[in-house]
Amino acid sequence: MQYYSTNGKAPLADLNKAVVKGLAEDRGLYMPEVIHKLPKAFLDDMPKMRFQDIAFNVASAFFGDDVDLDALQDLVYDTLQFDCPVVKVKDNIYSLELFHGPTLAFKDVGARFMARLLQYFLRQGSSVCGCGTAIYSTVNVLVATSGDTGSAVANGFLGVEGIHVYVLYPKGKVSPIQECQFTTLGKNITAIEVDGVFDDCQALVKSAFMDEELNKHMMLTSANSINVARFLPQAFYYFNAVAQLIAQGHKPEDIVICVPSGNFGNICAALFGHQMGMPVKRFIAANNANDIFYNYLQTGQYNPKPSKQTLANAMDVGDPSNFARIINLYSQNGKLSPEETHKVITSLISGATYSDEQIKETMRKCYKETGYILDPHGACGYQALEDSLQPGEIGIFCETAHPAKFKEKVDDILGIDVEIPERLAAFMKGEKQSVPMTKNFEDFKKFLLAR
Ligand SMILES: *Cc1c(COP(=O)(O)O)cnc(C)c1O
């Protein structure tokens, strides 16, 4: 399979290059040239299949041209050693619990898959340098995080030979529990504490990829949801969730999927799933006060803004990276005009935006009515379903993080004492280690050149 750039000015890339480079030469995002439809027989059988086998079928459609099928099966099974169950919260609202992985975040799926895929290419020897002339012994993964990406990537890549990970995070803007999940690991993981906001971290990473001198010095790659190996595997659990709802007797044409969104990688995976034939009615992108996509849906205008700090901090994104992918997908790579594209998008996807006050109110109300503990991200998804479900529709929202990850906030809002799962508590015993950094690219570059 070949991958093209959303900016249309870079050469086509194979999967290996798309994964190693992350971003195309023209700063565009890679898109698969073809999105294979899944056979009807598979879609019919899905409700009877295991999660791992559903995922392997989906993975084969995306990656089967480029990865040996036995290896791909290993890779999928290794990634999905935990469940993503669908839990009924009330009448017509279900929670897709994506927090049963090692760091209690849905990003564990993509991060682990990407680590294993990179390792697969590294083991093949020759070709990891398909994108330059020099041969490098180490691949350096740069990842900007507003909290969850850093911990998932750090843990997904921990101990994987030949790869070093640099996690850039905004000082004082991630929760203490999130912070220890990537600052206490050591080994091949280096945490960098940036004096700025998430967008500054993202800008440093993007500049590093574009810097010629740095790229000659070391092989750099990304692990943000711009990377095809990170975001595409997230389609696995949507198929599985739909299969579970169908198995329970619901009709696919009633199913509404609601995704609390930040960089829009997770919902993008759901939309790719839809293109592959995943049978659902429509999608909702739920946002916190960062309402850039919501405003696009209302007006057709995309106006990125600096991110606002909110209770749902993993969604504090003012210029969502995967917006370009969504536009490219529905414009059929530029064949449709911006107006036509907007029309297609709004016919399938609606939006919602919630203030911190509304998030708190939702968490309290849901807990009181149903006993279900929402985290601030999931709360945006739950409320968007409450606000928009029509009679007969069945809503499923992603509960994107375990509430214990935001323990201080959740305890405070609900007046309870959320239990911390064992594997989260283990991180908190480690010693925090990080490198302080300004938001000035020259400083970051100097640091990397000295490595
Ligand atoms: C990353 C994250 C999101 C947003 O996902 P995107 O793919 O960036 O849209 C939402 N909630 C939580 C808890 C996250 O970690």
Side-chain angles (χ1 to χ4, degrees), residues 106-107 148 225 260-266 314-315 375 377 400-401 406:
F106 73 84
K107 296 186 180 73
D148 268 9
S225 58
S261 297
N263 258 323
F264 282 71
N266 200 11
M315 291 155 49
D375 94 295
H377 306 80
T400 47
F406 303 91

Side-chain angles (χ1 to χ4, degrees), residues 354 358 361-362 365 374 378-388:
Y354 297 106
Q358 288 171 310
E361 187 55 35
T362 296
K365 197 152 170 278
L374 293 165
C380 296
Y382 176 86
Q383 189 61 43
L385 288 177
E386 281 274 28
D387 290 342
S388 101

Side-chain angles (χ1 to χ4, degrees), residues 34-40 42-43 57 61-62 239 271-278:
V34 186
I35 300 177
H36 294 299
K37 293 265 185 238
L38 285 160
K40 183 171 180 309
F42 163 72
L43 296 171
N57 274 274
F62 280 130
F239 279 91
L271 298 170
F272 273 70
H274 186 243
Q275 292 294 104
M276 296 172 80
M278 181 175 73

Side-chain angles (χ1 to χ4, degrees), residues 120-336:
Y120 170 82
F121 287 134
L122 277 171
R123 283 185 178 156
Q124 300 235 305
S126 61
S127 46
V128 162
C129 48
C131 23
T133 43
I135 307 276
Y136 299 90
S137 58
T138 307
V139 176
N140 298 280
V141 175
L142 301 184
V143 55
T145 186
S146 53
D148 268 9
T149 308
S151 43
V153 168
N155 283 276
F157 283 79
L158 182 64
V160 177
E161 217 174 295
I163 304 180
H164 196 99
V165 177
Y166 297 90
V167 180
L168 288 81
Y169 68 103
K171 182 177 176 177
K173 296 199 172 56
V174 301
S175 82
I177 293 179
Q178 286 178 325
E179 195 173 351
C180 42
Q181 285 182 302
F182 50 80
T183 56
T184 60
L185 298 170
K187 291 190 189 165
N188 59 334
I189 312 298
T190 302
I192 299 180
E193 186 175 42
V194 176
D195 198 359
V197 293
F198 169 72
D199 293 316
D200 297 318
C201 300
Q202 187 143 291
L204 285 179
V205 169
K206 283 193 178 170
S207 302
F209 290 133
M210 292 303 137
D211 190 277
E212 222 174 290
E213 192 185 353
L214 209 48
N215 281 277
K216 276 196 194 119
H217 177 73
M218 63 208 297
M219 166 156 307
L220 298 175
T221 188
S222 76
N224 283 81
S225 58
I226 52 176
N227 198 297
V228 293
R230 255 285 312 279
F231 94 92
L232 282 172
Q234 294 171 166
F236 300 163
Y237 44 69
Y238 290 106
F239 279 91
N240 186 53
V242 169
Q244 289 188 48
L245 288 182
I246 295 173
Q248 289 179 28
H250 295 298
K251 295 198 206 72
E253 59 269 26
D254 295 334
I255 297 173
V256 178
I257 292 182
C258 179
V259 187
S261 297
N263 258 323
F264 282 71
N266 200 11
I267 195 167
C268 214
L271 298 170
F272 273 70
H274 186 243
Q275 292 294 104
M276 296 172 80
M278 181 175 73
V280 298
K281 182 177 183 186
R282 63 188 183 92
F283 297 88
I284 305 174
N287 283 129
N288 57 24
N290 292 281
D291 55 4
I292 291 78
F293 186 76
Y294 177 82
N295 288 336
Y296 165 77
L297 291 175
Q298 312 311 309
T299 64
Q301 303 297 315
Y302 181 71
N303 294 316
K305 291 185 237 174
S307 63
K308 288 183 203 146
Q309 217 181 318
T310 77
L311 274 175
N313 68 14
M315 291 155 49
D316 292 351
V317 181
D319 186 4
S321 332
N322 284 290
F323 180 75
R325 265 201 179 106
I326 296 178
I327 294 296
N328 190 276
L329 184 64
Y330 292 107
S331 70
Q332 298 163 34
N333 193 14
K335 282 198 199 72
L336 298 189

